[in-house]
Amino acid sequence: MCQLLGMNCNTPTDATFSFTGFTQRGGRTADHVDGWGVAFFEGAGLRHFVDHLPAAESPVAELIRKYPIKSCNVIAHIRKATQGAVNLQNCHPFVRELWGRYWVFAHNGNLENYAPRLHANFHPVGTTDSERAFCWLMQELAKSHASVPSVEELTITLRELVPQISRHGTFNFLLSNGEALWAHASTHLFYLERGFPFASAELADEDLTVDFAAQTSPADRVTVVVTAPLTKNETWTAFQPHELIAFVDGRAIRA
Amino acid sequence: MCQLLGMNCNTPTDATFSFTGFTQRGGRTADHVDGWGVAFFEGAGLRHFVDHLPAAESPVAELIRKYPIKSCNVIAHIRKATQGAVNLQNCHPFVRELWGRYWVFAHNGNLENYAPRLHANFHPVGTTDSERAFCWLMQELAKSHASVPSVEELTITLRELVPQISRHGTFNFLLSNGEALWAHASTHLFYLERGFPFASAELADEDLTVDFAAQTSPADRVTVVVTAPLTKNETWTAFQPHELIAFVDGRAIRA
């Protein structure tokens, strides 16, 4: 299995605090050592980093822990391989372009005997069940809408498509097009909204505390989505089984 | 205008020496300060780094100058904006997936009034003439072949397609699918094949010399393609106007 980390904000925010705790699980506090990756949207643009080294040891992960990249939509993943070899093309998150936007996807879980019909314009480069699922989702989204639809419309379409994948196994995933972050839980996924008044947060995986009050303005709003809570002193909300939530501007859209 | 750097080898080789000289032109020895990017194939997988900061100052470029990433196909670019704002989505190289492979593209030049009909599955995310040209090339390659063709067939198709773009202006470009590196010159492009016996090379843009004989084995073969020669003591071959060359395993395929 793997672990997921997502962030969605109303103001570009750096993810160094969450990323620092999260990447400890890539070899130090947990054994997700089969590569890692992270993608940061900056407007329509994207920074995408993947590495087959354990996140706790990777020089690229070290750079990201130190270099504050500000983003409104971040997806990170640390891998413990179930299907597919340990190599770069099997590292999440995966990226594709659709309707002149980048789409980023990362998956935690295992889809058994999952061989969807990929007859259109999205094909996996690697050999994971996860990239197959992403390509199928992109294919079906492309068929369902002629151009980029609203977040609400996309959420409705995803609610129709996702059960067709999740019946094959565990399908916890994060998806973003830079405008929203969609998160779906089959089993384990938690989220936390941080807003005014901001307080201190204490990492569960490393001896590190940050006082967000000193780094934020009252209008800031940040949601963090993760496989297992990252902090010890905050209240994380568990996703219900098969719940799909869209996050926009740091807030859950529950419509 | 911008500058291009490409590398194609028969053995995964790190590009730190060439990249170090090249990135000096991003703010130190030349004024290509409007962002930069580099992509390294590792097998079918890809590491893709872009930054809107000048390459000579970027912390990500600093990482790559120090962290030897070994690859058989590398494309790098430093930008001096002609069309499109200075932001991440306008940084080269651009990446798309076709036939279950990643394709990487970077351009030097300026295409005037270039608005190709993009009616299929590749659309630009940013606003450069370059990304439009790449999307049109991908669209037309996808129409010309049902699945990934041989390097020779792709070269023939590219020779048909490229003049339809280059009549709009300067179109020096590098393209790779991880199997070959295609380079096309409208104006300035040089290449250099390094093979046994390897010698020392001295950077033109920084006081740095490397003895490749100490780092290579006799079977290694590396070709470097660049807008302006990177070293002072080697003989670089200029591309002829409108010449398109495919490089495979560190060697020019002139068929």
Side-chain angles (χ1 to χ4, degrees), chain A residues 57-105:
Chain A
E57 295 166 19
S58 158
V60 187
E62 180 65 19
L63 170 85
I64 294 165
R65 284 189 292 265
K66 289 181 175 166
Y67 178 40
I69 298 172
K70 287 179 185 279
S71 171
C72 285
N73 284 286
V74 179
I75 291 179
H77 183 272
I78 49 178
R79 183 161 183 244
K80 187 172 178 183
T82 49
Q83 293 185 32
V86 178
N87 56 33
L88 205 59
Q89 59 267 39
N90 286 339
C91 290
H92 311 217
F94 302 101
V95 182
R96 292 294 186 276
E97 175 262 313
L98 173 61
W99 303 313
R101 277 179 179 266
Y102 294 121
W103 295 75
V104 172
F105 174 88

Side-chain angles (χ1 to χ4, degrees), chain B residues 232-245:
Chain B
K232 292 188 280 194
N233 63 331
E234 297 176 293
T235 306
W236 294 75
T237 305
F239 278 63
Q240 298 302 307
H242 304 292
E243 191 173 21
L244 175 79
I245 306 180

